[in-house]
Amino acid sequence: MALQSLPSSRMAPLAILLGLLMAACFTFCLSHQNPKEFALTNPEKSSTKETERKETKAEEELDAEVLEVFYPTHEWQALRPGQAVPAGSHVRLNLQTGEREAKLQSEDKFRNNLKGKRLDINTNTYTSQDLKSALAKFKEGAEMESSKEDKARQAEVKRLFRPIEELKKDFDELNIVIETDMQIMVRLINKFNSSSSSLEEKIAALFDLEYYVHQMDNAQDLLSFGGLQVVINGLNSTEPLVKEYAAFVLGAAFSSNPKVQVEAIEGGALQKLLVILATEQPLTAKKKVLFALCSLLRHFPYAQRQFLKLGGLQVLRSLVQEKGTEVLAVRVVTLLYDLVTEKMFAEEEAELTQETSPEKLQQYRQVHLLPGLREQGWCEITAHLLALPEHDAREKVLQTLGVLLATCRDHYRQDPQLSRTLASLQVEYQALASLELQDGEDEGYFRELLGSVNSLLKELR
C-alpha cells in the first residue's frame, strides 16, 4: 500500500516513530565520538609498575588546554564539549536539539544523593600539569605513611628483641661462652681422650656426647674431625664403664646413618663389639654393646655379611644361652627377626618396582642369613625361648618363629616341647582374649597373640 494512500490518522504515529528512531541514531553517534573530548580520566590505583607507566603515558597524552568547569543552576543549560560537570548534577540529552543539558537536582534529592559526600566546586581551572602534581603528592604521601609504619614495626621489634651482638657481650661479661654443637663435641672428645681426665670425667664426657650424636648431622660432624674413631678405640679400654658408654655413643651415632655405619666398619667397630659380647663383661656393658651392634647391622647388608663372616651368629648363640641373660635373648631374637624381614621386604620391593637386579637387592642376596641360622641351631633356640613368662617376649619370639617357619619347619614338627608350649599358650590366650571381648576390645593385644599361636599350630599339623 502506498504511503500517500494512508489516512492522516495513521500518518501521525509513523512520523513520531520515525522521529524517535532519528533521535536514537543521533544519540548513538554522539556517544561514540572520541572519549578524550568528553570523559575525565580517572585512572584506577594499581600497585604494579606496568600500570603506573600506562597511567603516566595517559596523563602525558592529555591535552594541555585548560579544563573548563560547568556551573549548574536550577534551570537546564546546554553543555559544551569538554566541560567538567560537578558531582550531583542532573544531566540529560535533549532529543529535540540533540545537545546534552545539565542542572542542579532538587534540594531534597540532592542532599540524599550526597550523604557523606562533599561537593567542592572551585572557580579556578586545572591544567594537566596540576593534576600530575596532585597525583605525585598523593603517591608520596602514601609512601611516607608506609615508611612510618615500617619504622614503627622496626621499633617494636627492637623493643621486644635484642641483637645477638649485645647478647654475646652480656654473656662475655658473665663468663658464659656460646658454643655450637660442633665445638661442644670437640671439647667433649678432647676431655675423653685426655690422659689427665679422671674416669668420672671421661664417663661424663661420653654421656653428654651421646645426647648430641642422636642428630644425623652431628654424628657426621663427629666423623669429620676424627671423633668417631676415638670413641671406637674406647671399646678397647680396660674399664667396663668406658666400654659401656663408648658403645652407648656409637649406637646412637650408627642409628639410620649410613655414612657413619660405613666408616665404623672400616674403623674396626664390628670386631670390637663382637669381642666384648664374646668375653666376660658386666650385663650392663653387654646391653649397650648389643644396642650398638643392632644399630650397625640394621639396613646395612654389607655389615650383615661381615657379621656372618666373623662368626657373629655363634657369638649371639653363646650370649643367649648364658644364665641370667634372658633380657639380652629377647633383644637378639628381635634383631634376627628384623634382619630376616629386611631381606624379605627388599625382594618384595624389587618385584613391585619390576627391577631385575637393583643394587640393594643384590647386596641382600649376598647375605646368607637363613642357612646360617639353621646351621647354628637357632631353630631350637628360638623355640625354647617361647617359654619366657613375659607376654612381650613371647610376642617377639612368635614373630621370629613365623619368619623362620619355612627354614625350620622340620625342626619345629619334631620338637615335642614346642607343641606342648604352643598348646598351653593357646589355652592361656583364649581366656585372656575372652576377657578382652567382655571389656569391649574386639581387636585386643591377647587376641593378636592367640592368632599367632593358632597360625603356628595350623602350619605344624
Side-chain angles (χ1 to χ4, degrees):
M1 181 167 39
L3 186 62
Q4 290 80 1
S5 63
L6 289 175
S8 60
S9 60
R10 293 189 179 182
M11 286 293 291
L14 289 176
I16 294 173
L17 179 60
L18 182 60
L20 290 175
L21 289 175
M22 291 178 64
C25 293
F26 184 78
T27 304
F28 179 81
C29 293
L30 287 177
S31 63
H32 282 71
Q33 289 185 8
N34 190 355
K36 293 183 181 180
E37 297 179 1
F38 300 99
L40 292 177
T41 304
N42 184 18
E44 297 181 355
K45 296 180 181 179
S46 174
S47 59
T48 61
K49 295 182 178 179
E50 183 64 24
T51 306
E52 291 179 355
R53 287 196 296 268
K54 290 181 180 180
E55 292 176 357
T56 304
K57 184 177 181 180
E59 292 170 359
E60 291 177 353
E61 291 177 355
L62 287 175
D63 191 14
E65 68 180 29
V66 175
L67 299 177
E68 183 180 356
V69 178
F70 174 79
Y71 300 101
T73 64
H74 292 287
E75 301 296 333
W76 290 107
Q77 300 180 59
L79 289 172
R80 292 194 299 273
Q83 280 189 316
V85 181
S89 300
H90 189 182
V91 182
R92 74 174 184 181
L93 178 64
N94 193 325
L95 296 178
Q96 296 178 355
T97 62
E99 295 181 348
R100 289 193 306 160
E101 297 177 349
K103 73 171 184 175
L104 291 176
Q105 296 188 36
S106 62
E107 186 175 354
D108 294 337
K109 186 176 181 181
F110 185 65
R111 288 178 179 176
N112 292 334
N113 292 340
L114 293 180
K115 285 183 179 179
K117 298 182 181 179
R118 178 183 175 185
L119 180 62
D120 186 9
I121 303 177
N122 192 351
T123 57
N124 299 326
T125 57
Y126 300 94
T127 64
S128 60
Q129 189 62 36
D130 295 334
L131 295 176
K132 291 180 185 179
S133 301
L135 181 61
K137 290 180 180 179
F138 174 78
K139 294 181 178 179
E140 290 176 1
E143 293 177 358
M144 290 178 63
E145 291 180 1
S146 178
S147 62
K148 289 179 180 178
E149 292 178 359
D150 293 340
K151 290 180 180 179
R153 191 180 301 109
Q154 293 175 3
E156 182 66 15
V157 171
K158 289 181 180 179
R159 186 183 67 83
L160 295 175
F161 305 99
R162 299 173 59 190
I164 187 63
E165 291 77 12
E166 292 183 9
L167 293 175
K168 288 182 178 181
K169 188 182 297 183
D170 292 344
F171 284 141
D172 290 340
E173 294 176 356
L174 295 173
N175 293 325
I176 299 177
V177 180
I178 300 178
E179 294 179 304
T180 63
D181 289 354
M182 180 77 161
Q183 292 171 335
I184 293 173
M185 290 191 298
V186 171
R187 176 171 54 81
L188 292 174
I189 286 294
N190 290 335
K191 181 183 290 187
F192 169 71
N193 202 32
S194 176
S195 57
S196 60
S197 298
S198 63
L199 178 61
E200 290 76 12
E201 290 175 337
K202 291 183 177 182
I203 299 303
L206 291 173
F207 182 82
D208 293 340
L209 185 62
E210 187 271 340
Y211 169 79
Y212 289 97
V213 297
H214 271 291
Q215 298 184 21
M216 181 179 294
D217 293 340
N218 286 344
Q220 294 179 3
D221 289 339
L222 180 70
L223 170 65
S224 65
F225 67 85
L228 181 68
Q229 191 60 48
V230 173
V231 180
I232 292 175
N233 294 336
L235 296 174
N236 295 328
S237 175
T238 57
E239 294 289 343
L241 279 176
V242 175
K243 294 179 180 179
E244 176 182 346
Y245 282 91
F248 192 34
V249 173
L250 293 175
F254 296 159
S255 182
S256 301
N257 203 330
K259 186 176 181 179
V260 179
Q261 288 176 322
V262 171
E263 294 296 331
I265 289 291
E266 295 179 355
L270 180 59
Q271 295 89 329
K272 292 178 172 60
L273 293 172
L274 291 176
V275 167
I276 296 175
L277 291 175
T279 57
E280 187 176 352
Q281 301 290 339
L283 182 61
T284 55
K286 288 190 174 183
K287 283 182 180 179
K288 296 293 192 299
V289 171
L290 184 58
F291 162 65
L293 179 65
C294 294
S295 298
L296 182 60
L297 296 181
R298 284 191 174 99
H299 307 291
F300 191 11
Y302 176 75
Q304 296 173 19
R305 192 166 76 248
Q306 295 299 114
F307 168 77
L308 295 177
K309 289 181 179 180
L310 294 173
L313 290 178
Q314 296 92 315
V315 173
L316 295 182
R317 182 186 62 186
S318 301
L319 181 64
V320 300
Q321 290 176 341
E322 294 179 7
K323 292 182 179 181
T325 59
E326 289 80 6
V327 176
L328 297 181
V330 175
R331 296 185 182 183
V332 169
V333 168
T334 304
L335 171 63
L336 297 178
Y337 171 80
D338 291 342
L339 298 183
V340 173
T341 53
E342 271 183 30
K343 186 175 181 179
M344 293 170 56
F345 291 152
E347 293 175 350
E348 292 177 0
E349 183 180 358
E351 292 179 0
L352 291 175
T353 56
Q354 297 181 350
E355 295 184 13
T356 56
S357 59
E359 181 179 355
K360 184 178 180 180
L361 181 59
Q362 288 181 355
Q363 293 179 3
Y364 274 110
R365 284 175 176 171
Q366 296 176 7
V367 180
H368 306 293
L369 179 60
L370 288 175
L373 291 173
R374 183 185 177 94
E375 293 174 2
Q376 296 296 326
W378 281 97
C379 297
E380 294 82 358
I381 294 173
T382 52
H384 295 162
L385 289 175
L386 196 58
L388 292 172
E390 295 84 6
H391 297 298
D392 182 63
R394 292 174 181 175
E395 178 188 12
K396 292 179 172 59
V397 174
L398 286 170
Q399 291 175 345
T400 307
L401 290 174
V403 297
L404 296 179
L405 187 60
T407 303
C408 303
R409 188 185 301 272
D410 295 340
H411 290 80
Y412 292 163
R413 286 176 174 173
Q414 297 173 5
D415 190 345
Q417 182 180 352
L418 175 60
S419 300
R420 290 192 298 268
T421 303
L422 288 173
S424 176
L425 291 178
Q426 185 182 39
V427 174
E428 179 181 354
Y429 288 133
Q430 282 177 345
L432 293 173
S434 299
L435 293 176
E436 285 182 334
L437 288 175
Q438 294 177 6
D439 294 337
E441 298 182 18
D442 296 336
E443 300 294 335
Y445 175 68
F446 295 113
R447 187 175 180 83
E448 292 181 2
L449 292 180
L450 178 61
S452 299
V453 173
N454 290 336
S455 178
L456 280 174
L457 287 173
K458 183 179 179 181
E459 291 290 338
L460 296 178
R461 286 174 185 170

